[in-house]
Amino acid sequence: MSNDVPADLADQVPRAMHDLGGVPRFLCEAVDTAPHALDDFDREVDAIRQILGAKGVMSVDELRRGIEALPEDVYHRLSYYRRWVRSIASILIEKGVISEAALRAHATSRGGR
Amino acid sequence: MTGQLAPGTRVRVRLDWPETRGPCHIRTPYYVRGQEGVIHRALGRFRNPEKLAFARPAEELALYHVRFDLRRIWPEADADLLVELFESWLEAA
Amino acid sequence: MILKDLDERDILNGLRALLAEKGIADAAEIAARIAATDAANPGQGAAMVARAWTDPGFRALMLADGTKAAEAMGIPMRGLPPLGVLENVPGLHHLVVCTLCSCYPRAVLGYPPFWYKSAAYRAKAVRTPRALLREFGTELPADIAIRVVDSTADYRWMVLPERPAGTEGWDAARLAAIVREGDMIGVTIPSV
């Protein structure tokens, strides 16, 4: 009954940056309720993630872990799908699906859009 | 807690902070850790995301909608709460 | 952090090329997936809501098994997370959030809106929900309780709002036209 965790005790434990429920620093920030259209980059990253999931190459849980592993300043600075593409690349490299060197080689060759 | 938990069963969320011990992926929000709630509904069995996130073999766990009084977490909250929680995070209250 | 020196657009260029080279995903496959994803939209959820308002059997199915109800409307659900439906009733209003990431009932509503993914929305929904609703222009009477649903795991949740007064005799198509995206997450309430 009275064994609830006092908020001041819980707040002493470091919190993961993505775990945002009730976080004081965002309580005074207005919610931007305006529509924001997705662009081609966003849609392509989303589609790639779905395909990787459907083919068993990488799960949504791995995607989330990769996002949660971003440095806090990067997490809050990057747009939603920019976080995703960083997570996808790092997870696929970690799993050996692709190599960092190959990704770098193709990244600068700018194929496609 | 294991075995099917009936709606109305009082439970407590484990007071644990895996994120302070190194890389992990958990789906139990910070703000419900250690809090007491009530089983609202059993949602079925799903593979453990804490292992799926590292591409490890993942067992199925019972998942529950657990109901909390948010005012007991934050007096200003003026609402109650449903959260999906895995049995591995629930203790008898 | 790896690839720190690369812009995310360059990372995407690299990924696209490598996934094609390895036979994991080619351009046509990606384009098809984008088209399929773009096709999902809040009109689908609105059609479910309108049918639930006019067809008691469908309402019962939707509350018992959202996935089956969506499939009955021709919405593809195979391989997707189960859909749960939260019924607003007199005196109880539901509000959906994902405080950990951005879990959203995409199969029936499409891509999550920008605000749903924002840190401010995720922080406030569980702590100051009534004030949060006001940011969306929703003034909930004090005698209506709020139930916040933090979407943390394997389900995706949508709200079945109450049918507004003044819609007596309307058919499902006319009703569907008044149901907005936010009504099915609980930040707004349908009205006429």
Side-chain angles (χ1 to χ4, degrees):
Chain A
M1 185 59 194
S2 57
N3 286 335
D4 286 354
V5 188
D8 55 349
L9 171 82
D11 285 342
Q12 289 170 16
V13 179
R15 184 194 268 266
M17 90 258 164
H18 67 279
D19 193 343
L20 289 174
V23 169
R25 70 179 268 214
F26 296 112
L27 295 178
C28 44
E29 193 175 280
V31 175
D32 178 357
T33 60
H36 291 243
L38 299 184
D39 64 17
D40 288 346
F41 171 89
D42 300 333
R43 290 184 153 78
E44 186 171 5
V45 173
D46 192 289
I48 286 174
R49 211 308 297 165
Q50 291 183 55
I51 292 168
L52 294 176
K55 295 193 174 183
V57 179
M58 172 184 167
S59 69
V60 71
D61 306 88
E62 290 175 288
L63 171 79
R64 291 175 183 151
R65 171 171 65 88
I67 293 168
E68 292 162 14
L70 292 170
E72 183 161 4
D73 63 316
V74 174
Y75 179 88
H76 286 300
R77 175 168 48 81
L78 290 186
S79 74
Y80 186 71
Y81 285 108
R82 283 177 184 261
R83 291 176 197 159
W84 279 36
V85 81
R86 284 209 168 270
S87 171
I88 293 168
S90 66
I91 296 283
L92 294 185
I93 290 169
E94 173 195 291
K95 297 180 88 167
V97 176
I98 59 175
S99 76
E100 181 176 345
L103 186 128
R104 284 181 175 283
H106 287 287
T108 49
S109 68
R110 289 197 175 264
R113 278 167 264 185
Chain B
M1 292 172 86
T2 54
Q4 180 81 21
L5 302 178
T9 306
R10 301 205 69 81
V11 294
R12 184 183 309 283
V13 183
R14 276 200 293 119
L15 186 57
D16 190 20
W17 317 96
E19 60 270 63
T20 62
R21 297 194 293 270
C24 68
H25 171 73
I26 49 178
R27 301 301 294 176
T28 301
Y30 180 102
Y31 68 90
V32 296
R33 314 271 177 89
Q35 298 290 339
E36 192 178 311
V38 174
I39 298 291
H40 185 74
R41 179 153 89 98
L43 294 172
R45 298 181 68 81
F46 296 90
R47 291 167 73 199
N48 184 351
E50 299 178 12
K51 295 181 180 167
L52 289 174
F54 292 87
R56 293 185 194 129
E59 75 283 19
E60 285 193 342
L61 295 171
L63 181 69
Y64 295 97
H65 238 176
V66 183
R67 193 173 67 249
F68 299 86
D69 182 352
L70 270 174
R71 296 163 201 85
R72 289 176 64 172
I73 304 176
W74 295 298
E76 70 272 28
D78 186 25
D80 68 7
L81 168 79
L82 292 177
V83 188
E84 288 155 81
L85 295 171
F86 287 96
E87 60 182 332
S88 52
W89 274 90
L90 302 177
E91 301 171 338
Chain C
M1 180 173 74
I2 63 162
L3 308 172
K4 196 171 184 163
D5 55 310
L6 292 186
D7 181 81
E8 289 78 21
R9 289 187 184 272
D10 292 330
I11 295 176
L12 176 58
N13 287 338
L15 266 180
R16 182 195 304 116
L18 287 175
L19 294 177
E21 189 179 291
K22 292 178 182 297
I24 296 172
D26 63 24
E29 218 173 341
I30 293 170
R33 184 64 71 144
I34 291 172
T37 310
D38 283 351
N41 68 83
Q44 297 173 300
M48 291 175 70
V49 168
R51 186 163 167 197
W53 285 346
T54 52
D55 175 348
F58 183 79
R59 182 187 189 92
L61 172 66
M62 187 165 159
L63 294 173
D65 189 333
T67 299
K68 279 195 185 135
E71 283 172 341
M73 300 288 289
I75 300 168
M77 299 296 288
R78 237 184 96 203
L80 299 178
L83 176 68
V85 179
L86 305 155
E87 182 185 28
N88 282 355
V89 294
L92 180 65
H93 177 85
H94 291 87
L95 174 68
V96 180
V97 63
C98 172
T99 63
L100 298 176
C101 48
S102 55
C103 298
Y104 191 76
R106 292 175 48 147
V108 291
L109 298 189
Y111 296 104
F114 181 83
W115 52 263
Y116 188 82
K117 304 180 283 189
S118 69
Y121 182 81
R122 290 159 57 193
K124 289 174 176 180
V126 292
R127 188 154 180 175
T128 54
R130 220 170 272 273
L132 173 64
L133 291 186
R134 270 183 227 117
E135 293 191 63
F136 288 87
T138 305
E139 189 68 51
L140 207 62
D143 60 346
I144 297 181
I146 299 180
R147 177 165 287 166
V148 182
V149 179
D150 192 352
S151 186
T152 50
D154 291 76
Y155 268 66
R156 299 294 176 267
W157 300 99
M158 72 174 278
V159 175
L160 173 56
E162 288 184 84
R163 179 170 171 169
T167 60
E168 294 73 19
W170 290 25
D171 66 13
R174 192 171 173 201
L175 288 167
I178 62 164
V179 180
R180 297 159 297 173
E181 180 179 55
D183 301 340
M184 294 176 278
I185 293 300
V187 293
T188 50
I189 294 171
S191 62
V192 291

